[in-house]
């Protein structure tokens, strides 16, 4: 009777499903706790025993974040820094990735290895010299003071992703473009780039996430309230004698939303971008 | 006047590899010229030099009478179809076909009319709004053709355009491409490694080997009068039977292993050059169809062989046999695996489907001696005049 075919919902019970479920709960539980707690009233957040569901549902934490603290300013700063960096990284990364992936060039391998080394370089090692440099040129507490180093640190990885993606596009694409009479820039823009879009989105999302959540440089270079980004802003919520957990949770939820939306919209591209080059065709 | 003329064209790559050596070919207006040869023979390189995708190391390329060595691909007025079609996957069929015209800033009405006309010729009208990913292999192939013909170029270049298709579709598209080429009447250079394509499609065929021109002639002439052993072995399927043989004194007969085959006066007259090979070694070639099974009462020269294998094709039988002569394999004419599979004295004959024969039989084949071909053992060149 051991081989009896399982019917109805029984057929879904097997080792794989259970393992997946356990992993999913393990990953999602903190997220659930974050969202649920953000909707509790400030006094209920630290209740013992804890409330599994917010009761009553309250928006007080959210209004507190935006009104009581300057979360709106932090959000704006994060948007400016992240979007500018991502745009810069994608423009430079696409051109560099195209050149390294498809153009006949000397020293390609060396360039790629150097880029790889830079991309795994610990940011903390260059923090002090960068701080001194920024102070010297007067870029402390400015947007460009974050945009530039963010670009430098995110570009190598973006170039790698884009180069790998470009490598997968057949070389006949350019040749047929040349025969059709397209200029090199036109070829990149109208023929190669549209085919490399999944790679561009993947690189974009990685860069966006890295900048959005970056803490160390943001804390070091932009300490003035007007230039703080979200991670630094949230960390400095509260005062000496209290930690406003509810407000922190609410701000964190708002901070996670843009990344969630981005990944949701571009999820197909990201998956194909990450697996490109793994299998030919 | 030749539409495309190659004059002593050479291609030497940076690493010193000499891919094309002193290639000279003229392609007339409206002519369908095939470049054929085993892989690595330089045929694609030659095509890419005509397209302007590879620099020409030395020699002169003329397109429409004008020297084109330094012209960009765009200036050469050519269109090319690639092996993998190289369709733009993000554009619709109509956009793909019209892309070159769009770059030339052709007015929209004219562009649409031309795209529609090309689509009509190729039977693509109902697919114009589709993306290449939604099309079958044959349809993609036709879109690639459409992209080429819409530009009304003076030369078509095609680089193994059918090799990605399955066998049945390839036969169909072979006829289709020929039909379209005749209809448009544009000079075409078509690269293939498939000698069946070469024979069936081309007005003339250029055979290349190791970057060197072997012969350029009509398919029938290549088949009947190959200039050398390589062409003799490369053209034709099944491949020609080539054996080391010796001409007897006075060239009255040839010794093929232990068998002696008399050479009639007519053959000696047709190939006076044979006289100087009397008493020397030569290579003889016999097409499988010139070696049918002998019928009772046949009085002509014969060859006796032991049957190893029979491939019954329905319409005929391809009989593989062995004789005690040395089989000559022209280097590069057969794929490596194929060459290794050929036995020492193996030969092939096309035998009537109804002829009773089985493996192990000793069969007498009638030799069509007039069509026997002779080659110099050292140079491999044909012995004729």
């Amino acid at each position: 009777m051991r081989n009896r075919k399982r019917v109805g919902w029984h057929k879904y019970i097997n080792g794989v499903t259970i393992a997946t479920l356990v992993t999913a709960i393990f990953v999602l539980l903190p997220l659930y706790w974050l969202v649920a707690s953000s909707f509790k009233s400030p006094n209920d957040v630290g209740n013992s025993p804890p409330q599994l569901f917010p009761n009553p549902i309250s928006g007080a934490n959210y209004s507190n974040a935006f009104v009581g603290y300057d979360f709106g300013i932090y959000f704006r700063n994060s948007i400016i820094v992240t979007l500018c960096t991502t745009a810069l990284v994608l423009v430079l990364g696409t051109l560099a990735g195209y050149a390294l992936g498809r153009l006949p060039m000397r020293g390609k391998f060396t360039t790629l290895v150097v880029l790889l080394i830079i991309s795994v370089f610990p940011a903390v090692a260059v923090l002090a010299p960068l701080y001194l440099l920024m102070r010297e040129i007067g870029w402390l507490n400015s947007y460009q003071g974050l945009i530039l180093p963010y670009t430098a640190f995110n570009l190598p990885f973006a170039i790698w992703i884009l180069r790998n993606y470009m490598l997968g596009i057949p070389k006949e694409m350019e040749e047929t473009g040349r025969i059709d009479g397209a200029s090199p820039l036109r070829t990149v823009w109208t023929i190669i780039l549209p085919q490399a879009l999944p790679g561009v989105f993947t690189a974009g999302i990685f860069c966006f996430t890295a900048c959005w959540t970056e803490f160390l440089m943001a804390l070091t270079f932009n300490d003035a309230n007007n230039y703080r980004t979200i991670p630094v802003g949230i960390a400095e919520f509260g005062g000496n004698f209290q930690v406003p957990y509810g407000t922190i949770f609410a701000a964190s939820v708002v901070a996670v939303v843009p990344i969630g939306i981005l990944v949701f919209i571009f999820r197909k591209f990201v998956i194909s971008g990450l697996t490109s080059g793994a299998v030919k065709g | 006047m030749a539409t495309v003329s190659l004059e002593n064209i050479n291609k030497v790559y940076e690493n010193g590899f000499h891919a094309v050596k002193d290639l000279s070919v003229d392609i007339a207006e409206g002519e369908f010229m095939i470049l054929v040869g085993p892989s690595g023979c330089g045929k694609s390189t030659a095509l890419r030099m005509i397209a302007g995708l590879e620099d020409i190391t030395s020699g002169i390329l003329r397109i429409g009478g004008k020297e084109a060595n330094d012209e960009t691909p765009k200036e050469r007025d050519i269109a090319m179809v690639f092996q993998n079609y190289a369709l733009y996957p993000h554009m619709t069929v109509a956009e793909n076909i019209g892309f070159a015209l769009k770059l030339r800033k052709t007015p929209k009405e004219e562009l649409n009319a031309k795209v529609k006309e090309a689509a009509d010729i190729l039977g693509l009208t109902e697919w114009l709004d589709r993306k290449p990913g939604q099309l079958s292999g044959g349809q993609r192939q036709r879109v690639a053709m459409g992209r080429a013909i819409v530009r009304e170029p003076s030369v078509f270049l095609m680089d193994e355009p059918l090799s990605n298709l399955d066998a049945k579709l390839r036969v169909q598209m072979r006829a289709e491409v020929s039909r379209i080429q005749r209809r448009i009447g544009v000079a075409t250079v078509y690269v293939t490694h498939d000698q069946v394509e070469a024979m069936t499609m081309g007005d003339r065929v250029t055979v290349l080997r190791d970057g060197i021109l072997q012969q350029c002639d009509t398919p029938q002439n290549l088949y009947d009068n190959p200039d050398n052993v390589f062409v003799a072995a490369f053209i034709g399927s099944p491949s020609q039977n080539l054996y080391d043989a010796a001409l007897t004194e006075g060239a009255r007969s040839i010794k093929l292993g232990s068998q002696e085959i008399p050479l009639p006066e007519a053959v000696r007259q047709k190939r006076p050059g044979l006289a100087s090979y009397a008493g020397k070694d030569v290579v003889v070639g016999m097409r499988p169809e010139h070696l049918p099974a002998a019928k009772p009462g046949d009085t002509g020269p014969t060859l006796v062989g032991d049957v190893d294998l029979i491939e019954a094709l329905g319409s005929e039988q391809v009989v593989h046999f062995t004789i005690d002569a040395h089989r000559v394999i022209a280097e590069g004419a057969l794929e490596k695996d194929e060459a290794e599979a050929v036995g020492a004295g193996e030969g092939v004959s096309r035998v009537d489907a109804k002829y009773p024969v089985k493996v192990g039989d000793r069969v007498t084949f009638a030799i069509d001696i007039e069509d026997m071909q002779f080659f110099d053992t050292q140079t491999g060149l044909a012995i004729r005049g």
Side-chain angles (χ1 to χ4, degrees):
Chain A
M1 292 303 277
R2 292 183 59 155
N3 288 335
R4 190 178 55 190
K5 198 167 179 183
R6 297 185 203 189
V7 289
W9 59 270
H10 287 282
K11 68 183 170 195
Y12 296 112
I13 298 180
N14 57 45
V16 177
T17 323
I18 292 169
T20 312
L21 210 67
V22 169
T23 313
I25 290 172
F26 187 74
V27 172
L28 290 177
L29 205 60
L31 271 177
Y32 168 74
W33 203 244
L34 173 76
V35 177
S37 297
S38 74
F39 286 105
K40 292 171 187 168
S41 70
N43 292 331
D44 290 341
V45 172
N47 269 3
S48 182
Q51 277 186 329
L52 284 183
F53 303 100
N55 184 23
I57 292 177
S58 150
N61 290 323
Y62 287 87
S63 64
N64 200 25
F66 281 94
V67 181
Y69 299 92
D70 291 329
F71 189 73
I73 296 177
Y74 309 152
F75 196 85
R76 182 199 67 196
N77 293 342
S78 270
I79 287 279
I80 292 175
V81 169
T82 305
L83 285 186
C84 289
T85 307
T86 308
L88 256 175
V89 163
L90 288 186
V91 170
L92 296 175
T94 304
L95 293 173
Y98 176 76
L100 287 168
R102 304 186 70 85
L103 297 184
M105 265 170 56
R106 277 173 204 278
K108 263 193 214 178
F109 181 73
T110 321
T111 316
L112 283 166
V113 170
V114 170
L115 283 174
L116 197 63
I117 292 171
I118 297 175
S119 72
V120 294
F121 205 77
V124 70
V126 290
L127 205 61
L130 265 181
Y131 177 81
L132 295 179
L133 185 75
M134 293 296 174
R135 196 181 61 184
E136 206 59 38
I137 57 177
W139 278 15
L140 289 178
N141 293 318
S142 71
Y143 291 128
Q144 69 271 30
L146 284 185
I147 292 171
L148 222 64
Y150 281 4
T151 305
F153 273 94
N154 284 293
L155 197 51
F157 185 61
I159 292 176
W160 263 90
I161 290 189
L162 285 159
R163 171 204 170 254
N164 285 351
Y165 210 85
M166 302 270 185
L167 273 182
I169 300 172
K171 71 173 186 346
E172 283 86 353
M173 287 293 161
E174 274 125 343
E175 294 181 340
T176 194
R178 274 171 74 189
I179 289 174
D180 278 345
S183 66
L185 216 59
R186 174 99 194 215
T187 307
V188 176
W189 184 247
T190 47
I191 299 172
I192 303 298
L193 196 60
Q195 296 183 51
L197 273 187
V200 174
F201 287 133
T202 310
I205 285 180
F206 272 90
C207 179
F208 188 96
T209 313
C211 298
W212 191 255
T213 54
E214 205 281 337
F215 181 74
L216 199 57
M217 288 191 201
L219 177 72
T220 315
F221 303 154
N222 283 5
D223 197 33
N225 198 44
N226 266 345
Y227 287 98
R228 269 181 205 159
T229 55
I230 291 175
V232 180
I234 292 179
E236 301 204 355
F237 274 2
N240 289 340
F241 305 107
Q242 59 148 342
V243 181
Y245 283 115
T247 315
I248 291 176
F249 286 162
S252 302
V253 169
V254 178
V256 167
V257 165
I259 294 177
I261 292 175
L262 271 184
V263 172
F264 188 76
I265 294 174
F266 296 119
R267 64 191 187 285
K268 263 193 196 162
F269 289 114
V270 173
I271 291 164
S272 75
L274 283 177
T275 54
S276 81
V279 190
K280 198 166 163 52
Chain B
M1 189 183 69
T3 305
V4 181
S5 138
L6 283 74
E7 207 177 301
N8 300 107
I9 296 281
N10 279 282
K11 175 70 192 181
V12 184
Y13 283 103
E14 268 181 31
N15 61 10
F17 179 64
H18 202 159
V20 175
K21 298 167 188 163
D22 272 332
L23 179 64
S24 296
V25 179
D26 284 340
I27 296 137
E29 211 168 316
E31 185 175 29
F32 201 129
M33 172 66 87
I34 308 272
L35 295 185
V36 71
S39 46
C41 73
K43 54 193 190 298
S44 283
T45 309
L47 190 81
R48 291 169 60 81
M49 283 194 284
I50 300 175
L53 297 174
E54 298 275 357
D55 290 333
I56 296 168
T57 310
S58 71
I60 298 170
L61 168 73
R62 291 194 183 84
I63 296 178
K66 202 167 68 167
E67 191 175 322
N69 284 37
D70 299 325
E71 285 185 342
T72 62
K74 182 187 167 187
E75 292 162 346
R76 294 184 187 202
D77 196 17
I78 49 153
M80 186 156 169
V81 178
F82 291 88
Q83 182 175 356
N84 61 3
Y85 321 136
L87 301 179
Y88 307 131
H90 55 290
M91 298 185 194
T92 62
V93 169
E95 285 166 344
N96 261 289
I97 296 178
F99 186 67
L101 298 181
K102 196 174 151 194
L103 288 180
R104 286 187 201 168
K105 301 199 165 57
T106 310
K108 208 164 181 189
E109 295 78 39
E110 190 185 336
L111 187 148
N112 288 340
K114 283 190 171 170
V115 169
K116 201 179 161 303
E117 189 188 337
D120 278 346
I121 293 175
L122 296 159
L124 284 170
T125 313
E126 56 186 306
W127 311 105
L128 281 175
D129 295 328
R130 299 276 181 108
K131 296 261 174 77
Q134 299 164 294
L135 303 180
S136 69
Q139 288 165 337
R140 286 183 209 182
Q141 174 57 44
R142 277 184 285 167
V143 176
M145 292 279 295
R147 215 164 53 171
I149 63 178
V150 78
R151 301 174 45 193
E152 297 166 4
S154 57
V155 189
F156 271 146
L157 305 174
M158 302 192 192
D159 191 0
E160 310 216 17
L162 304 185
S163 54
N164 275 6
L165 303 176
D166 63 55
K168 202 172 164 192
L169 195 56
R170 200 180 308 163
V171 175
Q172 230 176 55
M173 286 305 291
R174 216 153 66 194
E176 182 96 358
V177 171
S178 296
R179 181 182 66 81
I180 293 164
Q181 196 272 344
R182 306 250 182 278
R183 178 165 170 183
I184 301 163
V186 172
T188 302
V189 186
Y190 184 106
V191 161
T192 178
H193 67 272
D194 179 351
Q195 53 94 18
V196 179
E197 270 177 33
M199 293 295 284
T200 51
M201 296 173 81
D203 293 323
R204 277 194 305 157
V205 179
T206 299
V207 185
L208 290 173
R209 176 202 189 186
D210 297 337
I212 300 170
L213 173 70
Q214 302 293 308
Q215 191 172 358
C216 176
D217 214 327
T218 60
Q220 197 59 49
N221 263 344
L222 280 185
Y223 192 79
D224 293 339
N225 302 305
D227 276 351
N228 57 40
V229 173
F230 175 80
V231 177
F234 187 74
I235 300 289
S237 177
S239 189
Q240 166 136 262
N241 301 304
L242 292 160
Y243 290 107
D244 277 329
L247 274 178
T248 54
E249 288 304 324
R252 285 196 187 83
S253 63
I254 44 173
K255 284 201 68 152
L256 203 54
S258 59
Q259 304 183 52
E260 188 161 340
I261 299 157
L263 272 187
E265 183 63 30
V267 174
R268 291 202 294 275
Q269 275 176 1
K270 197 173 158 191
R271 294 184 174 81
L274 274 181
S276 59
Y277 284 85
K280 292 183 187 163
D281 288 344
V282 291
V283 174
V284 295
M286 292 167 283
R287 295 274 176 208
E289 62 271 28
H290 297 151
L291 210 57
K295 296 187 190 81
D298 272 353
T299 53
T302 55
L303 187 70
V304 178
D306 298 319
V307 175
D308 302 321
L309 172 76
I310 300 163
E311 296 173 271
L313 302 180
S315 58
E316 62 179 7
Q317 305 179 77
V318 175
V319 175
H320 296 250
F321 59 87
T322 304
I323 59 172
D324 61 352
H326 177 249
R327 165 96 193 203
V328 176
I329 294 170
E331 203 185 318
L334 301 178
E335 298 285 334
K336 209 175 163 205
D337 299 346
E338 209 179 333
E340 277 168 8
V342 176
E346 191 183 320
V348 181
S349 157
R350 284 184 155 161
V351 173
D352 191 275
K354 295 198 173 66
Y355 186 82
V357 57
K358 57 184 191 301
V359 172
D361 282 358
R362 174 158 285 197
V363 175
T364 305
F365 300 100
I367 301 176
D368 231 334
I369 199 92
E370 301 252 341
D371 290 308
M372 189 181 253
Q373 293 163 4
F374 300 86
F375 304 92
D376 186 296
T377 320
Q378 302 299 319
T379 62
L381 294 177
I383 303 167
R384 290 186 193 131

